[in-house]
């Protein structure tokens, strides 16, 4: 099974002048798992519903398998959709839920049975085919919803936050299950979530939306290591990147960055591939530092007040404010569990200056060609 999902300059206006999706262009390649992610209200579900035919397109074009489907009703688009609420028929058995769409299409009984049995085996539902949805756990119900989509053998799959109703442990298990099944059926899949951890662990590529606009499209590593703006930098990563006001200053033949009450010389590695950073000297900007880049050996020292500590067993999450500041930014650091910080006291932590990110203070755009810390 293979195909593509293509959105070309797709826009959606709602009454009152609300632009839910603005000039969105994407292509989901054959067999690719592409995740649309962003905060609530960013337009990701509206985009998915337009692909499904459940929402009318204001302008632009949608193609599935190179066939224009922009104005076609959902039943004619050759897609299958998995929702967050399962949408199972309570009075039907698992087998009949999975077979319902095929029966409506008047497929031969033997073919229906064969497809349902194959999908049930793939999803571990063999022993549950005669049960009703009320007799199933949340994870089992979601498997049935996936099975109902798989048996149709569509050209493309659409998934709208299918794991949001599951508990944390089951979500982790089902992430692996969905990817395993999707790899096996090799259909292009467009998956919507607000959970950036789902996006990073499941997507071949990740498309990040904000206010209806596509911010960045790339592999999980690309959007994590080379965010194109401060929004992407702060949205991708858990805990999120520290973003604080800063200034670049001349320091002899080099540069230093002043932020969080400290002045840190930038090593050559931090400037590699970023020749245009020198032109930012003296201007206010935003500096970004991921929580895991505190505490590295050889880093520059920063004096901080330890506001709060959270032990996660394998690591320590520390919330810090620059020492001697009244309204300094709250910084989050992920540290080795062996760190001996004391809540409420002053301490010195190291900052890896090679791993700093720089963003324009007004536009939020990444500064420095390439934008990748050393």
């Amino acid at each position: 099974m293979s195909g593509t999902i293509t959105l070309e300059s797709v826009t959606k206006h709602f009454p009152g002048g609300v632009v839910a999706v603005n000039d969105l262009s994407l292509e989901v390649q054959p067999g690719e798992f592409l995740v649309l992610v962003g905060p609530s209200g960013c337009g990701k579900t509206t985009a998915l519903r337009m692909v499904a035919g459940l929402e009318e397109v204001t302008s632009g074009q949608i193609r599935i398998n190179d066939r224009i489907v922009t104005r076609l009703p959902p039943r004619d688009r050759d897609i299958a959709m998995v929702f967050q609420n399962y949408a199972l028929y309570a009075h039907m058995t698992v087998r009949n839920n999975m077979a319902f769409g095929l029966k409506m299409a008047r497929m031969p009984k033997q073919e229906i049975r064969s497809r349902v049995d194959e999908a049930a085996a793939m999803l571990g539902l063999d022993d549950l085919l005669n049960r009703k949805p009320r007799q199933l756990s949340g994870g089992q119900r979601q498997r049935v919803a996936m099975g109902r989509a798989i048996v149709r053998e569509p050209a493309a799959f659409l998934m709208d936050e299918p794991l949001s109703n599951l508990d944390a442990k089951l979500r982790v298990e089902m992430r692996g299950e969905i990817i395993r099944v999707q790899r096996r059926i090799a259909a292009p899949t467009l998956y919507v979530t607000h959970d950036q951890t789902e996006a990073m662990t499941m997507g071949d590529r990740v498309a990040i939306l904000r206010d209806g606009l596509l911010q960045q499209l790339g592999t999980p590593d690309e959007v994590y290591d080379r965010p194109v703006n401060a929004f992407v930098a702060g949205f991708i990563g858990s805990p999120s990147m520290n973003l604080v006001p800063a200034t670049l200053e001349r320091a002899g033949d080099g540069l230093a960055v002043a932020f969080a009450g400290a002045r840190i010389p930038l090593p050559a590695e931090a400037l590699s591939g970023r020749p245009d950073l020198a032109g930012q000297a003296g201007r206010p900007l935003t500096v970004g530092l991921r929580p895991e880049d505190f505490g590295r050996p050889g880093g520059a020292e920063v004096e901080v007040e330890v506001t709060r500590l959270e032990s996660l067993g394998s690591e320590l999450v520390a919330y810090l404010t620059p020492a001697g500041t009244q309204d300094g930014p709250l910084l989050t650091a992920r540290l080795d569990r062996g760190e001996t910080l004391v809540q409420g006291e002053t301490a010195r932590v190291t900052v890896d200056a090679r791993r700093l990110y720089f963003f324009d203070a007004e536009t939020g755009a990444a500064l420095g060609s390439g934008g990748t810390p050393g």
Side-chain angles (χ1 to χ4, degrees), residues 312-332:
L312 302 181
S314 61
E315 64 184 10
L316 185 69
V317 177
Y319 297 91
L320 316 167
T321 53
T325 61
Q326 293 296 319
D327 300 305
L330 183 66
L331 306 173
T332 306

Side-chain angles (χ1 to χ4, degrees), residues 265-287:
L266 296 178
E269 300 97 308
L271 301 173
S272 178
R274 293 165 158 181
D276 51 337
L277 272 184
Q280 302 295 324
R283 291 182 54 192
L285 47 79
T286 298
V287 68

